[in-house]
Amino acid sequence: MRESNYYETMLLHYGEDKKDYEGAVVPPIYQNSLFTFEDWDSIDKAFDDPVNNCIYTRGKNPTVSIVEEKLSKLAGGEKAKLFTSGMAAISSAIMHFVKPNGHIITLKNIYGPANNFMGSYLKEKMNIEITYISGKDINEFRENIKENTCLIYLESPSSVVFSLQDINEISKLAKEHNIKTIIDNTWATPIYQKPLKMGIDLEVHSCSKYIGGHSDIVAGVVIGSKKDIKDIFEKEHALYGGKIAPFEAWLIMRSLRTLPIRLAKHQENALQVAKFLESHPKVKKVYYPGIKSFEQYELGKKQMDGYTGLMAIDLDCKDLDKIKGFVNRLEYFYIGVSWGGFESLVYAPAISYLKEMTPDKFDAMGISLGSIRLSIGLENYNDLICDLEKALSIL
Ligand SMILES: *Cc1c(COP(=O)(O)O)cnc(C)c1O
């Protein structure tokens, strides 16, 4: 098989060999729990290298391996391991690096469940200390490093307010201090951002977003060096057992074939929608790294090769009934959590925040009643803009 470095070509063919499955144009789903052997010596030999031999589907499975090869090649890593969800990938990657009584530096606006894992669960179980920073200035990282700092955990852009971290600078600093680094790269995907090439140790993704792209799977992946992934395979993956189902891996293989063209369309649509929203009098602010008015636009341009379709806006309105009316009025934007699928979605962080606190409390965290998250799907952008324009007219 010829090896192309163009994503479109590579994602179609890399890691697949038609000879191995009767020429089937789509590799089969190996839906089996175990693999059988001719004789004593062959199973004995397989156990010499259980990571690379098919023995039992909690270990290597051929369908899963094809997808892992594509993802690690795409990210510029050496190896990848798929997991049953993004959170399984994230908690396994963190457990791989964290030490009892250790210290983690992370961001104030980190993805909620990842924060709960580090800041509550690990804090209690392993006496982990955690420091939250904005992540916008390298000096914040430098000033908060302690003797027991074992991990810097990043998410750039973060999925709430889309703030960025300077990945090159942070990985350089971490290496000087022997601190491990993990980044949640779900927003940018391995196509638009290459953290491993910038020196980050492990890259994690929720494959439930753009990598899956069809809103029909929940899955995750960790990508990194041969050594780290082998260790994670043998420890966190094997022992917690968060293995992906072969069918779900197969669906990701299907999704990866169209990832580059889907992203190009998400990007085009999102840029058009962001520009429309930016110029609308009822929209106070647009949080989207692809527009020039975005606070960290220059850093984004330096370290990303493109932008995907998730953004947030602040409506110029404090009346909860009107804000509800705006959300309910939208026709093409379905109301729901998650993002990165073919369909456009709308969600208001206030829905969950209001259950726990008053608006003035979450205002202080940079989220207001009028904060609205939009996942821009693959519809024609004219329809999306029209839909938003109608809904905004009721404010
Ligand atoms: C959804 C999401 C996750 C978690 O992924 P799951 O597949 O839902 O477990 C992690 N990080 C980010 C940024 C996400 O949006």
Side-chain angles (χ1 to χ4, degrees):
M1 174 57 68
R2 265 166 290 194
E3 277 196 24
S4 174
N5 284 321
Y6 290 108
Y7 302 137
E8 304 92 311
T9 315
M10 188 259 280
L11 285 168
L12 297 184
H13 304 298
Y14 189 76
E16 299 179 30
D17 194 342
K18 308 266 175 289
K19 288 198 300 298
D20 294 344
Y21 17 82
E22 309 287 337
V25 67
V26 177
I29 308 167
Y30 282 84
Q31 187 64 37
N32 48 295
S33 60
L34 68 128
F35 298 81
T36 58
F37 294 82
E38 291 273 312
D39 51 25
W40 177 295
D41 284 346
S42 40
I43 192 166
D44 188 63
K45 193 158 163 273
F47 271 113
D48 288 339
D49 184 9
V51 168
N52 292 305
N53 286 307
C54 294
I55 301 169
Y56 184 60
T57 285
R58 180 154 42 78
K60 180 177 159 112
N61 172 285
T63 311
V64 176
S65 295
I66 292 171
V67 181
E68 290 170 345
E69 280 187 38
K70 284 185 202 278
L71 282 167
S72 68
K73 171 92 173 161
L74 182 63
E78 289 176 349
K79 280 272 178 199
K81 191 74 212 109
L82 282 165
F83 284 82
T84 190
S85 70
M87 272 315 296
I90 288 169
S91 51
S92 295
I94 293 171
M95 286 307 282
H96 177 59
F97 284 144
V98 86
K99 297 198 171 77
N101 309 312
H103 171 237
I104 301 176
I105 301 176
T106 192
L107 316 163
K108 284 181 192 141
N109 282 309
I110 205 79
Y111 178 68
N115 180 30
N116 291 343
F117 182 68
M118 292 183 279
S120 319
Y121 186 81
L122 286 185
K123 193 169 174 182
E124 210 172 277
K125 295 259 181 201
M126 290 171 69
N127 194 31
I128 297 299
E129 255 187 284
I130 183 158
T131 302
Y132 297 98
I133 58 177
S134 83
K136 288 182 188 168
D137 181 353
I138 186 71
N139 289 319
E140 275 181 295
F141 288 92
R142 191 173 286 121
E143 284 156 14
N144 283 293
I145 290 175
K146 303 183 190 192
E147 204 139 286
N148 60 340
T149 306
C150 51
L151 175 65
I152 295 177
Y153 184 91
L154 307 173
E155 186 186 332
S156 183
S158 72
S159 58
V160 183
V161 288
F162 305 95
S163 57
L164 311 182
Q165 302 102 54
D166 191 324
I167 301 172
N168 272 311
E169 291 267 303
I170 296 163
S171 57
K172 214 163 64 195
L173 176 72
K175 281 190 169 53
E176 281 165 23
H177 293 266
N178 242 331
I179 298 167
K180 297 295 183 182
T181 46
I182 300 175
I183 188 167
D184 183 332
N185 198 27
T186 303
W187 189 90
T189 82
I191 291 196
Y192 287 157
Q193 185 163 267
K194 304 273 189 233
L196 298 174
K197 294 200 168 161
M198 295 185 248
I200 295 290
D201 292 308
L202 289 176
E203 164 175 353
V204 291
H205 292 270
S206 166
C207 300
S208 326
K209 314 293 161 56
Y210 293 110
I211 289 177
H214 295 65
S215 299
D216 53 11
I217 45 169
V218 172
V221 68
V222 182
I223 314 169
S225 71
K226 243 187 214 157
K227 181 183 177 311
D228 280 329
I229 299 298
K230 180 170 186 283
D231 278 356
I232 289 173
F233 196 143
E234 290 174 335
K235 292 176 188 153
E236 288 80 16
H237 182 269
L239 301 178
Y240 299 144
K243 70 122 191 108
I244 192 169
F247 178 53
E248 300 208 316
W250 183 86
L251 284 172
I252 296 176
M253 176 170 30
R254 172 275 324 249
S255 297
L256 286 175
R257 302 194 197 284
T258 58
L259 182 61
I261 57 172
R262 280 188 288 114
L263 287 185
K265 177 72 173 157
H266 281 293
Q267 171 168 245
E268 182 196 7
N269 281 2
L271 279 167
Q272 294 290 342
V273 169
K275 281 182 192 150
F276 162 75
L277 290 168
E278 208 182 7
S279 65
H280 197 285
K282 292 286 178 195
V283 178
K284 252 196 321 210
K285 193 165 173 185
V286 178
Y287 301 85
Y288 184 63
I291 49 175
K292 290 218 171 78
S293 61
F294 182 72
E295 194 193 350
Q296 294 172 295
Y297 175 76
E298 289 302 326
L299 175 59
K301 220 168 76 172
K302 197 177 84 184
Q303 65 186 19
M304 290 193 284
D305 300 321
Y307 312 98
T308 57
L310 184 71
M311 65 179 71
I313 54 174
D314 285 335
L315 296 175
D316 192 10
C317 179
K318 290 190 161 45
D319 179 338
L320 186 57
D321 286 335
K322 281 192 173 172
I323 295 166
K324 284 182 186 175
F326 164 78
V327 169
N328 292 338
R329 181 80 177 263
L330 289 165
E331 286 177 30
Y332 287 113
F333 289 82
Y334 294 124
I335 302 170
V337 296
S338 195
W339 45 279
F342 64 91
E343 77 287 15
S344 289
L345 291 168
V346 59
Y347 183 71
I351 294 167
S352 46
Y353 281 102
L354 279 171
K355 293 191 191 302
E356 291 165 22
M357 53 187 121
T358 54
D360 47 310
K361 276 239 173 83
F362 59 78
D363 248 4
M365 297 162 66
I367 309 277
S368 69
L369 267 186
S371 295
I372 302 286
R373 194 174 77 174
L374 298 169
S375 176
I376 308 302
L378 299 175
E379 298 87 351
N380 187 291
Y381 63 77
N382 291 303
D383 286 327
L384 300 178
I385 289 173
C386 221
D387 201 17
L388 287 162
E389 194 161 31
K390 264 194 269 174
L392 284 166
S393 71
I394 69 166
L395 293 181

